[in-house]
C-alpha cells in the first residue's frame, strides 16, 4: 500500500516535470535539449600506450599484466594500445568526425606523478595533457576529465593502495596539481571512474588490478577511502578553485538496471538491495546524508558479527566526515550498458560482497546479446535506471558518462548502430517524457581499445583500430556516420521510437 502510494506520487511528480520539460523542449521527444553534451569517452591505460616513455611511472595495470600475462586475454596489455600518447591529434580528428561536443578522457596519475607523490612532477606528462586539452578546445570540444580511471601508481600500491586511508591525502594532492595546471580550461571533472569496479581489485584476483584477494573486506576498505577522497577533492575545488575556475566536479558510478525476476515483495526487496549495495554504497553518502544506506550497514554489520569478528567489515564515517561527504557532487555520472535479472538468494563465499547483498544476479539469455556475455541489449532498462536515479537522488543532474556496445570489430557495425539508436531513444524519453535532468551522453568508446583483461578482441569503438597494423589508424565504422548524424542534428531517427 505504501509502495503503491509512493508510486502514484512519483508518477504525478514525473508527469509534472515531463510537462515542464516538454514545454522547454517544444514537445519534440526525439530532440536533445539545447546545450546537451554529446560526445565519446576513453581512458588512459586503454588507449595511451607509451607505458614507460618520457618519465611515466609504472601503474598497477602495467605491473599486473607484466607480472601476470596469464590474467589477460592472449597475454595482451596496454604497453602500446592505440598509441594515443603520440596519436592524440588523430583521436581529436575522430571526435570531430562524429560531431562530438565533448570528450571524456582520463589522466594517467603515474604519467604526471610517476611515484604518485609530489616529489617528482613529470613535465612531459603535463605537456601531453595540455596539448590534448588545447586541441580539443580549438576544435570546440569540451574536455571532460576523469582523474582516476583505475590506474593507481604502483608506488602507492606498494603501501597498500586504496584500502590505506592515507590515499585520501595523496589523491587530494594529485587533484590540486590537476586543478592548478588544467583547471583554467577544464570545466568538467570526475574524480573516480566506477569505484565499485576499483574495489573489486581488492576483493578478487586475476582480472582487476591490483588483484588483491580480500573478498568482503578489501572492497569495503577501498570504497571507504575512495568516498572520503572524492569528497575531499570536491571540497578542495569548492573552497579554493570554484570562484575562479567555475567548473563542475562529480563522480562516475556504474550500475545495470536490475530487473526482479518476479514482481513480489521479496524480489522487489532484492532489487532494492542490489541498487543500494552497488550504486547506493557511493551515491547515498555522497548525494544524500553522508552515510552508507541503512540496508548495507545493517547486513554487513550482522554478517560480520555472525562471523565472530570484533568489528564490522564495513568501516564507519565520523560525524565530521559525514558532514563533508554529504552533498559533495555537482552532478552524478553513470556508466551503464545493460540490464541484469535479480532474485533473493545467497551466492559468494564467507565473507564476500555477493553474500552480503543476499542477491543472485544473472542474465536473461533470451534477450538480444553482444560479444560480451554480460552485455544484453535492453534499452527500456536504461530509461528505468535513469528514472530510478532521478527519483532516489533528486536535485542532482545526471551525466551518462559511458554507454556502448561490444562486438568483434566489424566495420559494418549494424548491431552497434541499433544499440545506440534504441538506447538514445530511451534516454530522450527519460528527458522529454519523464522529466529526468540529464546534461550529457558520452558513448563508449571513440575507438577500439584495450578492454582490460578481455584484451583487444572485444571492441567497443565507433572507430576501428587494427592493432596488428603499424600505423594504428582510426578507421570510421558505419556507426561513426550514424552517430555523426545524431550528434550534428541533435535528433534520434524516428524509427527508434517505435
Ligand atoms: C567500464 C569502464 O569504465 C571502461 O573502462 C570499460 O572499457 C567499459 N566499461 C566497457 O566494459
Amino acid at each position: 500500500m505504501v509502495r503503491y502510494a509512493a508510486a502514484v506520487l512519483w508518477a504525478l511528480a514525473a508527469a509534472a516535470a515531463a510537462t515542464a520539460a516538454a514545454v522547454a523542449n517544444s514537445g519534440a521527444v526525439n530532440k536533445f535539449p539545447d546545450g546537451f553534451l554529446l560526445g565519446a569517452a576513453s581512458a588512459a591505460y586503454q588507449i595511451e600506450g607509451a607505458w614507460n616513455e618520457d618519465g611515466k611511472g609504472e601503474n598497477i595495470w602495467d605491473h599486473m599484466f607484466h607480472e601476470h600475462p596469464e590474467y589477460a586475454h592472449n597475454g595482451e596489455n596496454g604497453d602500446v594500445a592505440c598509441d594515443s600518447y603520440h596519436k592524440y591529434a588523430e583521436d581529436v580528428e575522430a571526435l570531430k568526425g562524429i560531431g562530438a561536443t565533448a570528450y571524456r578522457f582520463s589522466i594517467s596519475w603515474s604519467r604526471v606523478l610517476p611515484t604518485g607523490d609530489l616529489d617528482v612532477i613529470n613535465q612531459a606528462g603535463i605537456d601531453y595533457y595540455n596539448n590534448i586539452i588545447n586541441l580539443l578546445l580549438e576544435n570546440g570540444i569540451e574536455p571532460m576529465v576523469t582523474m582516476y580511471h583505475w590506474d593507481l601508481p604502483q608506488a602507492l600500491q606498494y603501501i597498500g593502495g586504496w584500502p590505506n586511508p592515507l590515499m585520501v591525502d595523496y589523491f587530494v594532492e594529485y587533484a590540486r596539481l590537476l586543478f592548478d595546471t588544467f583547471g583554467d580550461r577544464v570545466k568538467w571533472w570526475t574524480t573516480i571512474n566506477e569505484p565499485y569496479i576499483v574495489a573489486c581489485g581488492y576483493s578478487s584476483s586475476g582480472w582487476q588490478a591490483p588483484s588483491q584477494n580480500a573478498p568482503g573486506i578489501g572492497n569495503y576498505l577501498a570504497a571507504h577511502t575512495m568516498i572520503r577522497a572524492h569528497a575531499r577533492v570536491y571540497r578542495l575545488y569548492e573552497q579554493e578553485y570554484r570562484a575562479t575556475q567555475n567548473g563542475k566536479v562529480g563522480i562516475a558510478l556504474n550500475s545495470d538496471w536490475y530487473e526482479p525476476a518476479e514482481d513480489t515483495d521479496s524480489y522487489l526487496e532484492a532489487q532494492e538491495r542490489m541498487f543500494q549495495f552497488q550504486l547506493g554504497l557511493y551515491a547515498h553518502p555522497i548525494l544524500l546524508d553522508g552515510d552508507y544506506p541503512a540496508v548495507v550497514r545493517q547486513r554487513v554489520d550482522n554478517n560480520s558479527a555472525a562471523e565472530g569478528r570484533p568489528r564490522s567489515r564495513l568501516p564507519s564515517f565520523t560525524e565530521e566526515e559525514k558532514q563533508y561527504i554529504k552533498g559533495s557532487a555537482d552532478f552524478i555520472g553513470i556508466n551503464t550498458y545493460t540490464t541484469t535479472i535479480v532474485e533473493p538468494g545467497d551466492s559468494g563465499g564467507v565473507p564476500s560482497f555477493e553474500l552480503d547483498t543476499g542477491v543472485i544476479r544473472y542474465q536473461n539469455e533470451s534477450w538480444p546479446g553482444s560479444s560480451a556475455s554480460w552485455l544484453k541489449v535492453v534499452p527500456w532498462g536504461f530509461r528505468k535506471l535513469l528514472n530510478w536515479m532521478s527519483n532516489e537522488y533528486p536535485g542532482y543532474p545526471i551525466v551518462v558518462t559511458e554507454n556502448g556496445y561490444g562486438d568483434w570489430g566489424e566495420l559494418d557495425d549494424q548491431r552497434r548502430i541499433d544499440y545506440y539508436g534504441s538506447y538514445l531513444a530511451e534516454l530522450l524519453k527519460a528527458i522529454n517524457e519523464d522529466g529526468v535532468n540529464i546534461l550529457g551522453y558520452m558513448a563508449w568508446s571513440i575507438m577500439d581499445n584495450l578492454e582490460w583483461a578481455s584484451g583487444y578482441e572485444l571492441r567497443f569503438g565507433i572507430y576501428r583500430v587494427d592493432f596488428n597494423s603499424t600505423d594504428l589508424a582510426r578507421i570510421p565504422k558505419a556507426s561513426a556516420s550514424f552517430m555523426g548524424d545524431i550528434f550534428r542534428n541533435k535528433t534520434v531517427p524516428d524509427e527508434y521510437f517505435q
Side-chain angles (χ1 to χ4, degrees):
M1 188 60 195
V2 172
R3 177 176 294 121
Y4 175 73
V8 169
L9 280 178
W10 180 69
L12 287 172
T19 312
V23 170
N25 224 10
S26 340
V29 71
N30 63 347
K31 253 193 129 20
F32 290 97
D34 291 342
F36 193 87
L37 292 172
L38 285 165
S42 71
Y45 184 70
Q46 296 179 272
I47 65 164
E48 284 180 6
W51 79 276
N52 61 354
E53 237 179 281
D54 289 350
K56 177 181 163 292
E58 185 187 41
N59 66 42
I60 56 176
W61 288 89
D62 298 320
H63 189 82
M64 183 178 87
F65 282 156
H66 291 158
E67 295 285 309
H68 292 284
E70 75 279 11
Y71 289 172
H73 176 77
N74 289 338
E76 290 160 350
N77 60 43
D79 288 2
V80 178
C82 308
D83 197 22
S84 289
Y85 185 65
H86 301 107
K87 291 175 159 289
Y88 63 90
E90 293 176 40
D91 301 347
V92 176
E93 282 307 307
L95 290 157
K96 281 163 66 182
I98 59 167
T101 56
Y103 179 41
R104 174 175 182 252
F105 64 97
S106 79
I107 290 182
S108 158
W109 187 341
S110 68
R111 195 179 290 289
V112 297
L113 295 177
T115 67
D117 204 351
L118 293 173
D119 55 334
V120 186
I121 297 177
N122 183 29
Q123 190 57 42
I126 289 181
D127 293 346
Y128 170 61
Y129 295 110
N130 269 329
N131 290 342
I132 298 177
I133 291 165
N134 292 342
L135 193 59
L136 288 170
L137 290 172
E138 279 163 29
N139 286 285
I141 301 170
E142 189 76 41
M144 183 178 279
V145 172
T146 308
M147 297 177 174
Y148 184 75
H149 199 122
W150 303 1
D151 46 358
L152 194 74
Q154 179 62 28
L156 298 183
Q157 185 51 41
Y158 285 132
I159 56 169
W162 287 108
N164 179 348
L166 285 178
M167 280 315 113
V168 174
D169 295 331
Y170 286 98
F171 190 63
V172 171
E173 287 148 14
Y174 164 57
R176 179 188 289 283
L177 176 74
L178 301 187
F179 293 146
D180 279 339
T181 314
F182 308 119
D184 55 335
R185 288 151 293 149
V186 172
K187 303 301 161 193
W188 290 86
W189 296 98
T190 54
T191 53
I192 299 174
N193 178 72
E194 300 193 354
Y196 167 77
I197 300 289
V198 175
C200 293
Y202 296 90
S203 65
S204 58
S205 60
W207 63 283
Q208 182 70 21
S211 191
Q212 299 296 300
N213 197 12
I217 301 171
N219 51 307
Y220 294 126
L221 298 181
H224 199 69
T225 314
M226 286 189 281
I227 294 164
R228 294 177 54 234
H230 159 83
R232 284 269 308 278
V233 167
Y234 181 84
R235 297 299 169 207
L236 171 71
Y237 193 78
E238 183 174 68
Q239 284 153 20
E240 298 185 33
Y241 296 91
R242 193 190 296 287
T244 50
Q245 299 189 349
N246 201 24
K248 293 180 167 48
V249 179
I251 187 168
L253 305 179
N254 68 297
S255 183
D256 302 346
W257 170 251
Y258 290 114
E259 180 72 9
E262 283 179 21
D263 193 15
T264 56
D265 280 357
S266 65
Y267 281 68
L268 291 168
E269 283 161 14
Q271 175 194 38
E272 176 67 12
R273 280 202 300 282
M274 197 59 238
F275 281 124
Q276 295 303 347
F277 266 86
Q278 185 173 341
L279 263 184
L281 193 85
Y282 302 93
H284 192 104
I286 291 169
L287 305 177
L288 296 181
D289 62 6
D291 205 355
Y292 293 114
V295 68
V296 174
R297 176 84 271 158
Q298 187 196 8
R299 290 182 69 92
V300 184
D301 287 0
N302 287 349
N303 285 355
S304 302
E307 290 152 19
R309 296 171 191 274
R311 73 190 75 75
S312 176
R313 289 182 275 104
L314 180 69
S316 297
F317 297 116
T318 64
E319 285 311 312
E320 190 193 347
E321 286 168 346
K322 287 181 198 168
Q323 287 313 310
Y324 77 73
I325 292 168
K326 175 183 173 178
S328 60
D330 299 318
F331 65 91
I332 175 79
I334 183 73
N335 295 354
T336 188
Y337 291 79
T338 195
T339 288
T340 293
I341 306 284
V342 287
E343 60 180 52
D346 290 341
S347 71
V350 181
S352 65
F353 173 87
E354 287 72 21
L355 195 62
D356 289 338
T357 65
V359 179
I360 296 173
R361 292 184 268 181
Y362 56 92
Q363 275 303 342
N364 180 336
E365 291 306 330
S366 70
W367 286 337
S370 69
S371 299
S373 55
W374 53 268
L375 203 172
K376 299 287 177 191
V377 183
V378 194
W380 52 261
F382 187 31
R383 180 181 184 179
K384 285 195 177 190
L385 178 66
L386 293 167
N387 273 283
W388 189 91
M389 290 176 64
S390 152
N391 191 36
E392 182 79 4
Y393 310 115
Y396 289 96
I398 296 171
V399 175
V400 178
T401 34
E402 280 182 33
N403 177 245
Y405 184 82
D407 61 18
W408 303 131
E410 308 71 295
L411 277 177
D412 185 7
D413 56 342
Q414 189 59 43
R415 292 185 303 163
R416 176 169 292 103
I417 289 175
D418 290 339
Y419 179 96
Y420 278 130
S422 57
Y423 272 66
L424 284 168
E426 295 298 318
L427 175 94
L428 283 176
K429 288 184 206 164
I431 297 172
N432 294 327
E433 290 183 357
D434 309 336
V436 179
N437 185 8
I438 307 174
L439 304 178
Y441 174 92
M442 301 299 122
W444 184 271
S445 175
I446 184 60
M447 62 194 158
D448 296 338
N449 56 49
L450 181 79
E451 180 56 15
W452 307 102
S454 300
Y456 293 104
E457 191 178 39
L458 176 61
R459 289 159 180 263
F460 283 85
I462 296 171
Y463 283 72
R464 183 181 159 84
V465 177
D466 182 350
F467 294 100
N468 295 318
S469 71
T470 45
D471 66 351
L472 296 169
R474 285 71 168 128
I475 302 159
K477 301 180 187 176
S479 58
S481 85
F482 178 78
M483 294 302 261
D485 287 345
I486 292 178
F487 285 10
R488 288 190 187 89
N489 300 330
K490 317 279 181 218
T491 304
V492 171
D494 285 345
E495 63 191 275
Y496 290 104
F497 287 87
Q498 280 142 26

